[in-house]
Amino acid sequence: MNLKLAVLLLSSSSAAAFNVAPWESKKVQMLTEAKKNFSNVLAAGAICAATLLPLPCPSNAADSLVIGTPLETQLANFGAASYPVFNSISDVTPLTDKFLGFVDTKIKAPDVADVAAKAVDGLLAIPDAAITEYKGVLSKGVYAGVSNANCVTLTGSGATLQKLQNSVAAKSVDASKITALTKKFAPANSAVPMKGGDICLPPSAAASEKLWVAQAELTANMPKAEASALSASIKKAGLQATRPSLISLVSAAESTFSKSPEAIKMVAAGKAVEPSVIATTAAALK
């Protein structure tokens, strides 16, 4: 799940988690929001930031929790708003280091391991047909005409993937499950171009919109039992975050995403989609 892994760390540390906006004058407000929302985004690198909580599988396509709903529109808006911001990132690895350092020192190791294990179980439970559909969106929609010869990469994403794979949380998961997960998502990963070890970004705002919606729709196919278990595990781990401990992550997110008008617009789009994600998840898990 290369693309989802890399994107989680970036956006969960900005629009969804830390609400990095009007910067220094609202530092207290940011930390309050971060504390409130952190349990919704600490997924140990397994769930993309567009789908902060796992959305349990609908009974059929007509019952999609994403397509044809306000959530789809809001996710597409975030995809468009985030496009110029991701393209302007010079290096994501400092944020990766801060995030992993935070997880290693501020969250109890057994709880982090449980999140990782539950995330892998949930991803393995996603039907193969949903992954095939996701691959189709990637190859025919998001990355149509994109290759390593003409793409813009997310600088540092290759190093981020390696750090995540070598993290204590990832290594705590049964090796046979990691092997199975790699095999299961290989078709989708093959549709994501790479260059110099880094993933290629969508080539346009419209393509970015499709990516965020497709990722949400994919995650929505996680069965209810696994989604519920993962949601509970994320909440338990995330509640261990304290206001002071989040300061370094807020600063790292600011440094990575800058304080540009585009970044502020992305933050606003992230704030707009977050209530819909949480509400949809809560309703679906009842």
Side-chain angles (χ1 to χ4, degrees):
M1 298 203 63
N2 290 347
L3 190 58
K4 290 166 75 64
L5 289 176
V7 169
L8 163 84
L9 183 62
L10 293 173
S11 290
S12 68
S13 300
S14 59
F18 302 110
N19 292 331
V20 183
W23 323 109
E24 297 301 328
S25 64
K26 293 191 177 181
K27 184 74 76 176
V28 173
Q29 179 183 346
M30 286 194 299
L31 291 174
T32 300
E33 290 299 309
K35 178 64 170 63
K36 180 180 71 175
N37 298 325
F38 194 76
S39 64
N40 295 334
V41 299
L42 182 60
I47 303 298
C48 80
T51 50
L52 304 180
L53 291 174
L55 301 173
C57 182
S59 58
N60 56 63
D63 298 325
S64 172
L65 297 171
V66 180
I67 304 301
T69 71
L71 179 58
E72 178 185 14
T73 300
Q74 292 171 330
L75 287 168
N77 289 341
F78 181 82
S82 65
Y83 171 72
V85 181
F86 282 103
N87 276 268
S88 67
I89 292 174
S90 59
D91 187 6
V92 71
T93 51
L95 181 55
T96 304
D97 293 337
K98 286 287 187 181
F99 177 80
L100 292 177
F102 176 88
V103 170
D104 289 343
T105 59
K106 304 301 181 181
I107 310 297
K108 295 177 181 178
D111 293 331
V112 175
D114 188 65
V115 171
K118 294 295 194 301
V120 170
D121 288 344
L123 295 171
L124 285 172
I126 292 175
D128 290 342
I131 298 173
T132 299
E133 182 177 354
Y134 179 58
K135 177 188 177 182
V137 175
L138 291 177
S139 59
K140 298 177 182 179
V142 177
Y143 288 108
V146 178
S147 71
N148 59 9
N150 62 9
C151 80
V152 175
T153 61
L154 181 60
T155 306
S157 56
T160 288
L161 292 169
Q162 192 62 47
K163 288 173 183 286
L164 290 172
Q165 291 165 2
N166 291 332
S167 67
V168 175
K171 289 185 175 181
S172 70
V173 180
D174 185 279
S176 63
K177 290 187 176 182
I178 295 296
T179 299
L181 186 65
T182 301
K183 181 178 180 180
K184 185 180 183 75
F185 281 90
N189 285 339
S190 69
V192 180
M194 305 279 289
K195 181 179 180 180
D198 290 331
I199 62 171
C200 292
L201 290 165
S204 66
S208 182
E209 291 178 13
K210 293 177 182 178
L211 173 62
W212 287 94
V213 172
Q215 287 184 135
E217 181 69 4
L218 174 67
T219 309
N221 279 276
M222 186 181 294
K224 185 174 183 178
E226 286 80 4
S228 297
L230 175 56
S231 180
S233 183
I234 291 171
K235 182 177 181 179
K236 181 181 179 182
L239 288 175
Q240 296 172 41
T242 62
R243 272 176 150 195
S245 69
L246 289 167
I247 292 176
S248 63
L249 288 180
V250 172
S251 298
E254 289 180 3
S255 297
T256 298
F257 290 94
S258 81
K259 302 177 183 180
S260 67
E262 291 81 8
I264 293 174
K265 183 178 180 180
M266 182 186 76
V267 170
K271 287 182 179 180
V273 71
E274 183 182 17
S276 293
V277 173
I278 294 173
T280 301
T281 301
L285 290 176
K286 286 182 179 179

